[in-house]
């Protein structure tokens, strides 16, 4: 991938956020679940898959999921430039980070990886905006003030679109999605470890399709 600017990254991430109301946040412990899990979510109507770099097989899981027709696979929990290089090599087409540093942003831009960087304050959002990042993750969403906080930011920073993640569930997702500055939410509730480890792909597909039916 060639270089990418912050504005270009945000343009691409806005397109990605518009694909579905929920980005599943995936913690893949066993590589043999990657294809089944990703395929079930895509079948259920959630094509955007964020695989967190928090397990030993995460990069291989990204490579597996990148083969799924109709899926858009990204790498989450990006912290270092090495994470970015590894994610791109594995086939990630977007990246997500809990916060942002100039080192991480530079690495994503140099590697052409559209970064959905995290912010939890007006100052952090403004700093990202100065670099062109008008689409941002809001993490940890519930703990950092939830929908009321984002509603307040919509008044003063209406040009920023957020993807709240962290503590989001089917019960509170619509509180976020009803706001003018939210395009989608992220969450792990659509891919619980119990169903994943049991290879219960029908259950995962149903969680995804229920989310689309109620939030889409
Ligand atoms: C993440 O792991 O990036 C998100 O915080 C997921 O949070 P959740 O498990 O509360 O959905």
């Amino acid at each position: 991938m060639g270089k990418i600017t912050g504005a270009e990254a945000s343009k691409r991430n806005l397109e990605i956020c518009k694909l579905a109301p929920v980005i599943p946040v995936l913690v893949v412990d066993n590589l043999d679940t990657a294809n089944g899990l990703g395929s079930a979510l895509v079948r259920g109507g959630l094509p955007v898959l964020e695989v967190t770099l928090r397990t030993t097989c995460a990069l291989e899981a990204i490579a597996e999921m990148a083969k799924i027709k109709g899926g858009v696979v990204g790498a989450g929990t990006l912290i270092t430039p090495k994470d970015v290089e590894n994610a791109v090599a594995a086939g990630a087409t977007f990246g997500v980070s809990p916060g942002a540093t100039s080192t991480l942003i530079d690495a994503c831009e140099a590697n052409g990886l559209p970064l959905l960087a995290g912010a939890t304050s007006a100052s952090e959002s403004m700093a990202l905006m100065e670099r062109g990042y008008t689409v941002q993750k809001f993490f940890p969403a519930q703990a950092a003030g939830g929908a009321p906080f984002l509603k307040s930011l919509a008044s003063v920073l209406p040009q920023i679109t957020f993807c709240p993640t962290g503590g989001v569930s089917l019960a509170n997702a619509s509180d976020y999605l009803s706001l003018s500055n939210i395009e989608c939410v992220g969450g792990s509730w659509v891919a619980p470890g119990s169903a994943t480890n049991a290879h219960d792909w029908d259950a995962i597909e149903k969680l995804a399709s229920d989310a689309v039916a109620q939030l889409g």
Side-chain angles (χ1 to χ4, degrees):
M1 287 193 256
K3 287 187 195 313
I4 191 171
T5 66
E8 289 164 347
S10 280
K11 183 168 179 280
R12 176 60 188 143
N13 278 330
L14 189 60
E15 290 166 0
I16 289 172
C17 287
K18 285 178 188 284
L19 291 175
V22 183
I23 297 179
V25 177
L26 308 175
V27 181
V28 181
D29 287 311
N30 300 305
L31 186 57
D32 68 355
T33 63
N35 188 281
L37 174 61
S39 299
L41 290 163
V42 172
R43 276 198 308 276
L46 299 181
V48 185
L49 309 171
E50 176 192 334
V51 180
T52 58
L53 298 190
R54 301 205 289 255
T55 61
T56 50
C57 68
L59 291 167
E60 290 168 288
I62 288 171
E64 272 301 304
M65 290 192 193
K67 298 177 197 160
I68 298 170
K69 203 168 179 298
V72 177
V73 184
T77 326
L78 293 177
I79 309 292
T80 68
K82 191 69 191 158
D83 292 337
V84 176
E85 287 165 22
N86 288 340
V88 170
T93 59
F94 69 96
V96 185
S97 59
T101 67
S102 54
T103 308
L104 184 68
I105 293 171
D106 289 346
C108 285
E109 292 183 354
N111 284 278
L113 190 69
L115 177 66
L116 184 64
T120 43
S121 71
S123 292
E124 289 173 7
S125 286
M126 288 167 66
L128 281 169
M129 198 168 60
E130 281 184 358
R131 292 198 58 159
Y133 291 84
T134 52
V135 180
Q136 303 173 7
K137 165 167 162 155
F138 178 62
F139 173 85
Q142 282 294 104
F149 185 96
L150 288 171
K151 188 173 182 191
S152 301
L153 280 194
S155 309
V156 291
L157 298 171
Q159 59 278 69
I160 300 178
T161 299
F162 290 96
C163 170
T165 306
V168 181
S169 66
L170 192 56
N172 62 20
S174 54
D175 297 344
Y176 289 101
L177 290 164
S178 64
L179 301 177
S180 61
N181 56 346
I182 309 296
E183 207 51 68
C184 69
V185 300
S188 63
W189 89 88
V190 287
S194 50
T196 302
N197 291 330
H199 291 227
D200 189 349
W201 308 137
D202 287 346
I204 301 277
E205 183 178 342
K206 171 114 176 42
L207 285 165
S209 59
D210 283 352
V212 174
Q214 291 189 43
L215 306 171

